[in-house]
Amino acid sequence: MDKSFIFLAGDGDSIGRKAGQARLNDDVEALSRISQAINAGNEIWASYALRYFGTVIESGGDEFLLSIPVEALKDLEQTRLTYETCVKATVSVGVG
């Protein structure tokens, strides 16, 4: 089992734009829904990292940075799909 750790960075796609539109339209309900979705999405990524004894280095708004073992990559696609289902938005991720 490889215990090498890598970084995984992510950013929710178009979520900031949706939040900005809600602010401009004074749509408090939409902004609240978006904020709750972002928080739920962050929890999905935090749980993913912790499941593999990784760490959340940074998590704010719709962006995150994790340190995870290489073996966690086997569940990356499923986690990304879980995020999309929960947040109703795609997420771009980078591994390095």
Side-chain angles (χ1 to χ4, degrees):
M1 187 180 316
D2 189 351
K3 289 296 182 186
S4 298
F5 279 73
I6 57 172
F7 294 111
L8 178 72
D11 186 5
D13 300 326
S14 302
I15 297 174
R17 182 180 51 77
K18 290 176 185 177
Q21 288 175 338
R23 279 188 205 98
L24 288 173
N25 293 324
D26 294 326
D27 190 341
V28 175
E29 290 178 18
L31 191 55
S32 179
R33 279 192 310 275
I34 293 166
S35 179
Q36 290 172 12
I38 289 170
N39 290 338
N42 288 341
E43 286 298 317
I44 289 168
W45 291 110
S47 294
Y48 168 68
L50 296 175
R51 184 169 57 243
Y52 286 96
F53 303 102
T55 57
V56 176
I57 297 170
E58 177 186 15
S59 179
D62 63 342
E63 299 176 4
F64 62 88
L65 177 62
L66 311 175
S67 175
I68 57 171
V70 171
E71 70 183 274
L73 290 176
K74 67 182 180 184
D75 289 331
L76 176 58
E77 182 62 14
Q78 182 57 51
T79 304
R80 190 187 63 75
L81 292 172
T82 300
Y83 175 93
E84 287 183 15
T85 300
C86 177
V87 178
K88 308 283 190 275
T90 57
V91 61
S92 297
V93 295
V95 177

